[in-house]
Amino acid sequence: MRKIIAAYDFGTSGVKIVLLGLDGKTYALAEEKYPLIRPAEGWVEQDPADYWEAVRSVTKKAVNAYEGDAEDIIAVNFSVQVITLIPVSSQGEVLYNAVSWLDGRAVKQAQAINQKLGFEAVCPQDYQCRLLWFKEEKPEIYEKAAWFLGCDGFLQYKFIGIMAADPNSEAIKKPNPERAAYISMIEKAAGVEGKMPPAVAATKIYGYVDKRGAADLGIPEGIPVFGGGNDVLAAAAGAGCFKEGDSHIYLGSSGWLSAIVHDIKESAIGSYHIQSMDPGMMIYGGCINTCCSALNWLTDNLYYYEKEQMGEEFWDYLNKEIETVPSGCDGLMMTPWLHGEQFPVHSEVLRGTFLNMNSMHTRAHMVAAFMESICYSIRWQIEIFERDHGIEIEHTSVNGGGSQSDTWMQRMANILGIPVCIPQNSAHSGAIGIAVAAAIGMGICDFDDAAKLVKQKKIFYPGREREVYERGYKNYQSLYEALLPVYERLNGNEKQEGTKKEK
C-alpha cells in the first residue's frame, strides 16, 4: 500500500490538489476554478458554496487520475488565500459571502484604526478593518457570527464538522509573543476582539474526516486533517525554503517575494512578518495584488481568439511571441496595479497603466511589458528586504503558474541579476508545501530534511541586458510618485454600484 497525502491549494481564482507520495513523487494533479463577485467598485467577494463544490470536483478528478486506491490517502492539509473572511453562525450557517483578501472596502475603517493608534498599523485589506466594517455596516451579521472563519477554517469545518479548534489544544499555533501582543493591540483599538478562531499549526492535527465528508469526497473516513496554513507559508515550503535567507517568488493570481528570517525587523509599509512552518522562524514578505490574474485579463482581451482555439497550447504560442520582443520592450512600460497595490508601493487607488506606447508596439510588447513590471516590482521588494534585514539574497526560487514561462523567468533573472530556480511541478508548489507540513506532523521528516521532498527542475542565470534593465528599473520606480496624484483624483472618492461575477 502506497502512502499518499492529499494537499489542497486555494488561490484567488481556483483550487489545486496534489496527491503527494512520501517518496516526494507527485501521483496526481487536478485543478478547478471558481468565480469572483464584485458588488461595487473595490469590493471583491466569493460564494463559500463555490469553494466546497470545487473541493468535491477537484478531489474526484485527482482520485480518478490516481493509479491506485483512494484508501492510500493517509492525511489531508490545506494551503489557503490569506485574510479571506467568512462570517458563520454557531450552527454553521454562512451569513455573508466570503470577503476576499483583494477586497478594499474598509478604507474608512483602516483610517479610523490608524488614527486611534497614532501610526499606520493597518491597510484596508487587514482583517481587523474588515471586522470593523461588518460591525459598523452589517451589525446584525457581526453580532450573529460566532466566528469569522478563514478559507481554511471553513473547509476544515466541511471536512470534519468542527468549526473552531479547542483553544486549549496543544495543536494551537504558538505565535511570537511580541507579534501576538501587537495584533491584540490592533484588535483592541478596532473593538473587534474575540471573533477570529484560534489558529492550528500547519504541522498539527486539526481533526479527522467525518462520515459526511468522506462520503461527499470519496476519501477514507477517520484520516487526519491538519491545521493548514496560508499560501505564503505553503509556497515557501514548496520551494524548499526552510533556512534563514532562503527566498522564493510566487507568481499566482497575486504575487510576492518572501524570505525566511529569525527575527522581526522594522519594515516598510505594506510588508509583513508571519509565522513560518517552523515555529522558530518567521517569513518576511510583501504582496503584489494582481499578478497572473492581470496576465489572464490581458490575454483574454488581446488574444481572445487564440485562447479559444488553442486551449492549453496557447501559452507556448504566447511565449514564442514574447521572445520576439527585445529587453525593455522598445520603451513600453506598464504598471500592474489593476486592484490597487500593497507592496512595494502602497495605495488602494492605483490602477494599471501602459506608458510610452507608440504605433510600433504590438500586443506581444504589452504582455512582455506586464511581465517586466512584475520583475521590477520583485526587484524593488528585494532591495527593501535587504535594506531592512541586512541579508543579501544571492539566488531565489520561483513557483506558481507564472514560473512555467521560460521567457518570463529569463527576464526575471536578467532584471534581478541573480539565478532563478524552478522546482518541479512549480505551479502546484503551494499544495506540495502544505503536504510537506503534514509529513512533518506525522514524523516522516523534520524541518532540517524536509527540503528533500522538493525536487528542482531548472535554473535561469542572468544575461547581459543589464544596462537596458537598469534604466527601465529606475523609470519604473519613478512611476508611483508621478502617477499617484492622478489616481487619487480619478479614484479617491469613486464608488460605482453594480454586481459582476467574473469567470
Side-chain angles (χ1 to χ4, degrees), residues 324-340:
T324 67
V325 178
S327 301
C329 303
D330 292 317
L332 182 65
M333 300 196 75
M334 182 193 177
T335 64
W337 311 320
L338 299 189
H339 297 288

Side-chain angles (χ1 to χ4, degrees), residues 13 82 108 117 148 157 166 190 197 234 236 247 264-265 358-359 402 441 482:
S13 57
V82 70
K108 182 180 73 171
L117 289 170
F148 282 78
Y157 168 62
D166 178 358
S247 73
I264 295 175
K265 299 286 182 68
N358 62 45
S359 59

Side-chain angles (χ1 to χ4, degrees), residues 103-177:
D103 189 276
R105 74 185 68 186
V107 174
K108 182 180 73 171
Q109 288 74 21
Q111 292 170 343
I113 294 170
N114 289 332
Q115 185 174 10
K116 189 169 184 178
L117 289 170
F119 62 97
E120 191 159 358
V122 293
C123 69
Q125 282 79 15
D126 286 321
Y127 77 86
Q128 297 95 339
C129 305
R130 276 99 176 273
L131 289 177
L132 183 55
W133 181 89
F134 272 102
K135 188 175 183 179
E136 293 179 345
E137 303 295 332
K138 302 285 183 182
E140 69 287 354
I141 290 176
Y142 184 86
E143 291 301 323
K144 189 176 180 181
W147 302 106
F148 282 78
L149 298 178
C151 184
D152 51 350
F154 173 75
L155 294 164
Q156 285 154 344
Y157 168 62
K158 297 292 283 186
F159 265 80
I160 69 177
I162 298 174
M163 194 178 306
D166 178 358
N168 299 311
S169 168
E170 286 298 315
I172 297 299
K173 186 179 292 183
K174 301 297 190 294
N176 178 293

Side-chain angles (χ1 to χ4, degrees), residues 292-337:
C292 290
S293 58
L295 178 61
N296 285 330
W297 169 79
L298 272 174
T299 53
D300 285 348
N301 285 280
L302 298 176
Y303 290 87
Y304 175 80
Y305 177 79
E306 290 83 355
K307 289 186 82 170
E308 284 285 306
Q309 296 297 311
M310 296 181 181
E312 287 302 313
E313 293 179 3
F314 164 73
W315 298 105
D316 291 332
Y317 169 83
L318 179 68
N319 282 324
K320 288 174 183 175
E321 276 213 352
I322 294 170
E323 285 173 3
T324 67
V325 178
S327 301
C329 303
D330 292 317
L332 182 65
M333 300 196 75
M334 182 193 177
T335 64
W337 311 320

Side-chain angles (χ1 to χ4, degrees), residues 280-492:
M281 306 295 283
M282 300 294 292
I283 298 177
Y284 165 96
C287 186
I288 298 168
N289 276 349
T290 50
C291 185
C292 290
S293 58
L295 178 61
N296 285 330
W297 169 79
L298 272 174
T299 53
D300 285 348
N301 285 280
L302 298 176
Y303 290 87
Y304 175 80
Y305 177 79
E306 290 83 355
K307 289 186 82 170
E308 284 285 306
Q309 296 297 311
M310 296 181 181
E312 287 302 313
E313 293 179 3
F314 164 73
W315 298 105
D316 291 332
Y317 169 83
L318 179 68
N319 282 324
K320 288 174 183 175
E321 276 213 352
I322 294 170
E323 285 173 3
T324 67
V325 178
S327 301
C329 303
D330 292 317
L332 182 65
M333 300 196 75
M334 182 193 177
T335 64
W337 311 320
L338 299 189
H339 297 288
E341 190 56 294
Q342 293 190 55
F343 197 62
V345 296
H346 181 75
S347 173
E348 69 276 1
V349 301
L350 295 174
R351 295 294 181 266
T353 313
F354 282 102
L355 300 103
N356 204 35
M357 183 179 286
N358 62 45
S359 59
M360 70 169 284
H361 291 126
T362 66
R363 59 184 182 172
H365 281 82
M366 297 170 74
V367 175
F370 159 74
M371 289 179 170
E372 289 185 354
S373 75
I374 297 297
C375 299
Y376 289 138
S377 290
I378 294 293
R379 177 172 168 180
W380 201 343
Q381 289 195 21
I382 287 175
E383 290 186 355
I384 293 171
F385 167 76
E386 291 179 338
R387 180 199 70 196
D388 291 347
H389 282 266
I391 299 172
E392 183 178 357
I393 293 178
E394 298 179 348
H395 58 83
T396 191
S397 294
V398 183
N399 51 21
S403 65
Q404 296 179 92
S405 168
D406 287 2
T407 303
W408 196 353
M409 293 304 92
Q410 188 58 62
R411 290 180 192 246
M412 181 74 75
N414 293 344
I415 289 173
L416 301 186
I418 57 176
V420 167
C421 309
I422 312 300
Q424 288 182 11
N425 295 312
S426 58
H428 295 268
S429 285
I432 291 170
I434 210 66
V436 171
I440 292 171
M442 299 179 80
I444 294 158
C445 58
D446 57 28
F447 293 111
D448 291 333
D449 63 1
K452 71 184 181 184
L453 294 177
V454 179
K455 313 297 184 183
Q456 294 299 321
K457 182 178 180 181
K458 62 177 70 174
I459 302 176
F460 294 87
Y461 294 93
R464 300 179 179 179
E465 297 87 349
R466 298 301 295 165
E467 186 176 345
V468 66
Y469 282 133
E470 287 301 317
R471 211 165 44 241
Y473 178 55
K474 288 182 173 59
N475 288 334
Y476 182 79
Q477 286 186 297
S478 72
L479 295 178
Y480 172 66
E481 289 189 6
L483 294 175
L484 180 60
V486 178
Y487 285 125
E488 285 177 336
R489 291 194 296 272
L490 289 173
N491 303 319

Side-chain angles (χ1 to χ4, degrees), residues 4-8 17-21 25-30 59 61-67 73 431 435:
I4 301 293
I5 297 170
Y8 299 82
I17 185 175
V18 168
L19 299 185
L20 185 73
K25 182 178 177 180
T26 298
Y27 285 94
L29 302 167
T59 304
K61 285 181 182 178
V63 169
N64 289 337
Y66 173 53
E67 296 179 354
I73 298 173

Side-chain angles (χ1 to χ4, degrees), residues 73-92:
I73 298 173
I74 61 170
V76 172
N77 211 353
F78 303 100
S79 159
V80 297
Q81 47 180 295
V82 70
I83 327 177
T84 292
L85 296 184
I86 306 169
V88 180
S89 73
S90 58
Q91 288 77 40

